[in-house]
Amino acid sequence: MITAAQLRAARAILGLDQRALAGLCGLSLPTIQRMEASDGVIRGNVDSLMKLVGALDAAGVDLIGEGVVSDSGGRGVRLKTPAPRPSGD
């Protein structure tokens, strides 16, 4: 399960806007907007949720579920590996 807050945080970590995330996971922009506007756990059809979670996973986001061991406890997101930094800094 993924919460709307986790989705917004994951998108922010990846530096994606809603349109880019929709393209990444093959969903429509209104679907992403509806998911992010949810209260608590995202509700949706299984196929859409699987596409979303799969795309986030492939992009390097580790979704931390309730009760899963993490240093800080609770739900959250974290990158599996550090995101590459843009060149030219």
Side-chain angles (χ1 to χ4, degrees):
M1 292 192 295
I2 179 175
T3 65
Q6 284 178 298
L7 175 54
R8 290 187 299 271
R11 189 169 54 78
I13 285 172
L14 294 172
L16 299 174
D17 63 15
Q18 290 177 331
R19 186 175 308 278
L21 178 60
L24 186 68
C25 59
L27 298 173
S28 69
L29 177 58
T31 296
I32 297 298
Q33 291 170 332
R34 190 171 41 255
M35 288 176 167
E36 286 196 6
S38 298
D39 186 30
V41 175
I42 292 173
R43 305 269 185 244
N45 71 49
V46 174
D47 185 51
S48 293
L49 292 171
M50 294 301 290
K51 285 180 180 180
L52 174 67
V53 171
L56 293 174
D57 183 63
V61 172
D62 188 10
L63 296 169
I64 306 164
E66 191 66 41
V68 174
V69 176
S70 70
D71 292 335
S72 301
R75 292 184 179 271
V77 296
R78 62 180 165 223
L79 287 173
K80 293 178 187 176
T81 57
R85 296 221 178 242
S87 59
D89 288 337

